[in-house]
Amino acid sequence: MQIFGVDIGGSGIKGAPVDLDKGDLAQERHKVLTPHPATPGGVADGVKQVVDHFGWTGPVGVTFPGVVTDGATIRTAANVDDSWIDTDAAALLGERLGGLPVTVVNDADAAGVAEMQFGAGRGRRGTVILLTLGTGIGSALFADGVLVPNTELGHLELDGHDAEKRASSKAREDHDLSWEHWASHRVRKYLEHVEMLFSPDLFIIGGGVSRKSHKFLPHIEGIKAEVVPAQLQNNAGIVGAAMRAAGRL
Protein backbone atom coordinates (compact mmCIF):
# COMPACT_ATOMS: atom_id res chain seq x y z
CA MET A 1 0.00 0.00 0.00
CA GLN A 2 1.32 3.42 -0.98
CA ILE A 3 0.38 6.78 0.53
CA PHE A 4 2.03 10.14 -0.14
CA GLY A 5 3.96 11.86 2.64
CA VAL A 6 5.22 15.45 2.77
CA ASP A 7 7.57 16.83 5.42
CA ILE A 8 7.51 20.63 5.88
CA GLY A 9 10.73 21.88 7.47
CA GLY A 10 12.22 25.24 8.21
CA SER A 11 14.61 24.94 5.26
CA GLY A 12 12.98 22.46 2.88
CA ILE A 13 9.72 20.80 1.87
CA LYS A 14 10.24 17.20 0.80
CA GLY A 15 7.98 14.32 -0.07
CA ALA A 16 7.47 11.02 -1.86
CA PRO A 17 5.08 8.09 -2.11
CA VAL A 18 5.64 5.73 0.83
CA ASP A 19 5.40 1.94 0.86
CA LEU A 20 3.62 1.43 4.18
CA ASP A 21 4.33 -2.31 4.22
CA LYS A 22 8.08 -1.68 4.17
CA GLY A 23 8.13 1.66 5.95
CA ASP A 24 10.29 3.18 3.24
CA LEU A 25 10.01 5.56 0.30
CA ALA A 26 8.60 3.97 -2.83
CA GLN A 27 10.40 6.52 -5.02
CA GLU A 28 13.27 8.95 -4.51
CA ARG A 29 12.00 11.97 -2.65
CA HIS A 30 11.59 15.40 -4.23
CA LYS A 31 12.54 18.56 -2.34
CA VAL A 32 11.91 22.28 -2.79
CA LEU A 33 13.17 25.12 -0.61
CA THR A 34 10.87 26.46 2.08
CA PRO A 35 9.92 30.03 1.12
CA HIS A 36 10.92 32.92 3.36
CA PRO A 37 8.79 34.22 4.86
CA ALA A 38 7.19 30.78 5.25
CA THR A 39 3.58 31.99 4.95
CA PRO A 40 0.66 29.56 4.56
CA GLY A 41 0.22 30.44 0.91
CA GLY A 42 3.89 30.17 0.05
CA VAL A 43 4.35 26.86 1.86
CA ALA A 44 1.15 25.48 0.30
CA ASP A 45 2.60 26.29 -3.12
CA GLY A 46 5.75 24.36 -2.18
CA VAL A 47 3.71 21.34 -1.05
CA LYS A 48 1.82 21.46 -4.35
CA GLN A 49 5.11 21.46 -6.29
CA VAL A 50 6.26 18.35 -4.45
CA VAL A 51 2.98 16.47 -4.90
CA ASP A 52 2.62 17.51 -8.55
CA HIS A 53 6.16 16.29 -9.26
CA PHE A 54 4.86 12.74 -8.83
CA GLY A 55 1.44 13.26 -10.40
CA TRP A 56 -0.10 12.01 -7.14
CA THR A 57 -3.91 11.93 -6.92
CA GLY A 58 -4.63 10.14 -3.62
CA PRO A 59 -4.54 10.95 0.11
CA VAL A 60 -1.65 13.06 1.37
CA GLY A 61 -0.15 13.22 4.86
CA VAL A 62 1.74 16.39 5.75
CA THR A 63 3.99 17.17 8.72
CA PHE A 64 4.18 20.64 10.24
CA PRO A 65 6.89 22.10 12.53
CA GLY A 66 4.58 23.05 15.39
CA VAL A 67 1.62 21.94 17.48
CA VAL A 68 -1.19 20.45 15.38
CA THR A 69 -4.63 19.65 16.81
CA ASP A 70 -7.49 17.68 15.24
CA GLY A 71 -5.22 16.59 12.40
CA ALA A 72 -5.68 20.03 10.88
CA THR A 73 -5.34 23.17 13.02
CA ILE A 74 -1.99 24.84 13.66
CA ARG A 75 -1.45 26.15 17.20
CA THR A 76 2.24 27.18 17.20
CA ALA A 77 4.68 28.20 14.46
CA ALA A 78 8.19 28.70 15.82
CA ASN A 79 10.20 28.27 12.59
CA VAL A 80 7.63 29.39 10.04
CA ASP A 81 5.51 32.54 9.72
CA ASP A 82 3.22 33.42 12.65
CA SER A 83 0.28 33.72 10.26
CA TRP A 84 0.05 29.90 10.40
CA ILE A 85 -1.36 30.07 13.93
CA ASP A 86 -5.06 29.02 14.02
CA THR A 87 -4.93 28.11 10.31
CA ASP A 88 -6.84 25.00 9.21
CA ALA A 89 -3.84 23.60 7.39
CA ALA A 90 -5.66 20.50 6.15
CA ALA A 91 -8.33 22.63 4.47
CA LEU A 92 -5.77 25.05 3.01
CA LEU A 93 -3.55 22.33 1.60
CA GLY A 94 -6.47 20.23 0.41
CA GLU A 95 -7.81 23.16 -1.57
CA ARG A 96 -4.37 23.93 -3.03
CA LEU A 97 -4.03 20.27 -4.07
CA GLY A 98 -7.30 20.33 -5.96
CA GLY A 99 -9.44 18.64 -3.32
CA LEU A 100 -7.13 15.76 -2.36
CA PRO A 101 -7.75 14.50 1.22
CA VAL A 102 -5.02 15.94 3.48
CA THR A 103 -4.12 15.15 7.09
CA VAL A 104 -1.60 17.22 9.05
CA VAL A 105 0.53 16.08 12.00
CA ASN A 106 3.37 17.49 14.10
CA ASP A 107 6.63 16.78 12.31
CA ALA A 108 8.52 15.14 15.17
CA ASP A 109 5.49 13.06 16.16
CA ALA A 110 5.37 11.72 12.60
CA ALA A 111 9.08 10.93 12.62
CA GLY A 112 8.79 9.31 16.03
CA VAL A 113 5.93 7.01 15.06
CA ALA A 114 7.84 5.93 11.96
CA GLU A 115 10.94 5.16 14.03
CA MET A 116 8.90 3.23 16.61
CA GLN A 117 7.23 1.16 13.89
CA PHE A 118 10.07 0.64 11.43
CA GLY A 119 13.31 2.01 12.89
CA ALA A 120 15.42 2.47 16.00
CA GLY A 121 12.47 2.28 18.42
CA ARG A 122 10.95 -0.90 17.02
CA GLY A 123 9.96 -3.26 19.82
CA ARG A 124 11.17 -0.88 22.55
CA ARG A 125 9.06 -0.42 25.69
CA GLY A 126 9.49 2.04 28.52
CA THR A 127 10.00 5.74 27.83
CA VAL A 128 11.44 6.62 24.42
CA ILE A 129 12.12 10.17 23.22
CA LEU A 130 12.92 11.06 19.62
CA LEU A 131 14.58 14.43 19.10
CA THR A 132 14.98 15.93 15.62
CA LEU A 133 17.94 18.29 15.50
CA GLY A 134 17.43 20.54 12.49
CA THR A 135 16.35 24.15 11.97
CA GLY A 136 14.82 23.76 15.43
CA ILE A 137 14.39 20.81 17.78
CA GLY A 138 11.31 18.64 17.51
CA SER A 139 10.35 15.96 20.00
CA ALA A 140 8.21 12.84 20.18
CA LEU A 141 7.59 11.17 23.54
CA PHE A 142 6.45 7.55 23.86
CA ALA A 143 5.38 5.63 26.97
CA ASP A 144 5.36 1.87 26.26
CA GLY A 145 4.90 2.60 22.57
CA VAL A 146 2.05 5.11 23.03
CA LEU A 147 2.63 8.63 21.67
CA VAL A 148 2.12 11.68 23.88
CA PRO A 149 1.52 14.22 21.08
CA ASN A 150 2.80 17.77 20.60
CA THR A 151 5.42 17.79 23.36
CA GLU A 152 7.62 20.49 21.74
CA LEU A 153 10.57 19.85 24.05
CA GLY A 154 12.78 21.99 21.84
CA HIS A 155 11.27 24.99 23.61
CA LEU A 156 12.44 24.01 27.08
CA GLU A 157 14.59 26.76 28.56
CA LEU A 158 18.32 26.12 28.42
CA ASP A 159 20.81 28.77 29.55
CA GLY A 160 18.09 31.39 29.41
CA HIS A 161 17.12 30.55 25.82
CA ASP A 162 14.84 28.19 23.94
CA ALA A 163 16.83 24.96 23.85
CA GLU A 164 16.63 24.85 20.07
CA LYS A 165 18.46 28.18 19.88
CA ARG A 166 21.39 26.50 21.63
CA ALA A 167 21.39 22.84 20.60
CA SER A 168 19.80 22.58 17.15
CA SER A 169 21.78 21.79 14.03
CA LYS A 170 21.10 25.35 12.84
CA ALA A 171 22.64 26.71 16.06
CA ARG A 172 25.79 24.69 15.36
CA GLU A 173 26.01 26.19 11.88
CA ASP A 174 25.09 29.74 12.94
CA HIS A 175 27.79 29.78 15.64
CA ASP A 176 30.34 27.89 13.51
CA LEU A 177 30.80 25.22 16.17
CA SER A 178 32.78 22.05 15.62
CA TRP A 179 30.84 18.79 15.77
CA GLU A 180 32.72 17.87 18.95
CA HIS A 181 32.04 21.14 20.76
CA TRP A 182 28.38 21.19 19.74
CA ALA A 183 27.86 17.60 20.87
CA SER A 184 29.93 17.54 24.05
CA HIS A 185 28.64 20.87 25.36
CA ARG A 186 25.32 21.95 23.91
CA VAL A 187 23.64 18.70 22.90
CA ARG A 188 24.89 16.88 26.00
CA LYS A 189 23.59 19.64 28.28
CA TYR A 190 20.22 19.57 26.54
CA LEU A 191 19.94 15.78 26.80
CA GLU A 192 20.85 15.97 30.49
CA HIS A 193 18.00 18.45 31.02
CA VAL A 194 15.46 16.30 29.18
CA GLU A 195 16.72 13.21 30.99
CA MET A 196 16.27 14.92 34.36
CA LEU A 197 12.62 15.62 33.48
CA PHE A 198 11.58 12.32 31.88
CA SER A 199 14.18 9.62 32.72
CA PRO A 200 13.88 7.97 29.29
CA ASP A 201 15.26 4.53 28.49
CA LEU A 202 16.18 5.56 24.95
CA PHE A 203 16.94 8.76 23.04
CA ILE A 204 16.63 8.56 19.23
CA ILE A 205 18.39 11.42 17.46
CA GLY A 206 16.72 12.26 14.16
CA GLY A 207 16.68 15.04 11.59
CA GLY A 208 19.23 15.62 8.87
CA VAL A 209 22.17 15.27 11.29
CA SER A 210 21.29 11.62 11.88
CA ARG A 211 23.12 10.87 8.61
CA LYS A 212 26.30 12.17 10.28
CA SER A 213 25.84 10.57 13.69
CA HIS A 214 29.43 9.28 13.66
CA LYS A 215 30.62 12.89 13.82
CA PHE A 216 28.85 13.79 17.05
CA LEU A 217 27.30 10.88 18.97
CA PRO A 218 30.69 9.58 20.24
CA HIS A 219 31.23 12.97 21.91
CA ILE A 220 28.03 12.81 23.99
CA GLU A 221 28.97 11.35 27.37
CA GLY A 222 27.34 11.07 30.77
CA ILE A 223 23.80 10.32 29.57
CA LYS A 224 22.23 7.38 31.40
CA ALA A 225 19.77 6.56 28.62
CA GLU A 226 20.88 4.81 25.45
CA VAL A 227 21.44 7.34 22.64
CA VAL A 228 21.13 6.12 19.04
CA PRO A 229 20.64 7.68 15.59
CA ALA A 230 17.33 7.42 13.77
CA GLN A 231 17.43 4.51 11.32
CA LEU A 232 15.07 6.15 8.83
CA GLN A 233 17.21 9.27 9.11
CA ASN A 234 15.65 12.33 7.48
CA ASN A 235 12.96 10.28 5.72
CA ALA A 236 11.21 9.44 8.99
CA GLY A 237 8.88 12.44 8.79
CA ILE A 238 7.75 11.54 5.27
CA VAL A 239 7.03 7.95 6.34
CA GLY A 240 5.19 9.10 9.46
CA ALA A 241 3.11 11.60 7.48
CA ALA A 242 1.98 8.81 5.17
CA MET A 243 1.18 6.62 8.19
CA ARG A 244 -0.98 9.45 9.57
CA ALA A 245 -2.86 9.78 6.27
CA ALA A 246 -3.50 6.04 6.30
CA GLY A 247 -4.87 6.16 9.86
CA ARG A 248 -1.86 4.37 11.36
CA LEU A 249 -0.82 7.25 13.64
Side-chain angles (χ1 to χ4, degrees):
M1 179 182 181
Q2 290 188 17
I3 295 287
F4 203 91
V6 178
D7 189 13
I8 296 172
S11 59
I13 301 168
K14 50 193 179 292
V18 174
D19 184 331
L20 289 178
D21 296 320
K22 297 179 180 179
D24 199 1
L25 307 190
Q27 298 182 50
E28 184 176 350
R29 73 186 190 185
H30 181 65
K31 179 178 179 178
V32 300
L33 296 179
T34 302
H36 293 287
T39 60
V43 171
D45 286 342
V47 171
K48 178 174 170 55
Q49 289 179 50
V50 171
V51 175
D52 286 353
H53 175 81
F54 295 90
W56 185 262
T57 57
V60 177
V62 179
T63 76
F64 185 83
V67 172
V68 181
T69 58
D70 306 320
T73 305
I74 307 304
R75 297 302 184 197
T76 67
N79 292 302
V80 291
D81 196 79
D82 286 347
S83 57
W84 274 102
I85 296 174
D86 294 328
T87 295
D88 185 333
L92 169 69
L93 295 170
E95 180 181 0
R96 193 61 55 92
L97 295 176
L100 298 184
V102 173
T103 306
V104 184
V105 62
N106 172 269
D107 56 351
D109 285 350
V113 169
E115 283 293 328
M116 293 298 286
Q117 180 70 33
F118 299 108
R122 188 171 186 174
R124 295 296 295 257
R125 309 297 290 174
T127 302
V128 178
I129 298 177
L130 173 131
L131 298 168
T132 57
L133 306 182
T135 304
I137 296 177
S139 62
L141 170 64
F142 297 86
D144 286 335
V146 178
L147 172 69
V148 180
N150 292 313
T151 47
E152 293 291 283
L153 300 181
H155 300 297
L156 291 170
E157 184 177 316
L158 188 66
D159 294 333
H161 303 275
D162 259 16
E164 68 179 22
K165 303 298 184 185
R166 303 284 298 169
S168 66
S169 177
K170 185 176 187 297
R172 185 191 71 82
E173 295 169 357
D174 287 348
H175 296 281
D176 196 25
L177 302 176
S178 69
W179 287 101
E180 180 177 359
H181 182 88
W182 175 67
S184 62
H185 291 78
R186 298 195 178 197
V187 178
R188 177 190 57 77
K189 192 169 185 178
Y190 173 60
L191 292 182
E192 286 179 342
H193 188 54
V194 176
E195 185 167 64
M196 179 269 294
L197 294 171
F198 296 99
S199 300
D201 301 284
L202 174 67
F203 280 116
I204 302 172
I205 306 300
V209 295
S210 58
R211 298 191 308 269
K212 303 174 182 178
S213 61
H214 62 284
K215 292 187 175 183
F216 67 92
L217 282 189
H219 301 297
I220 300 175
E221 299 179 345
I223 305 301
K224 296 179 178 64
E226 184 180 359
V227 185
V228 301
Q231 290 182 8
L232 278 65
Q233 299 184 349
N234 212 22
N235 290 335
I238 298 174
V239 174
M243 292 174 67
R244 180 66 178 88
R248 300 187 186 184
L249 189 165

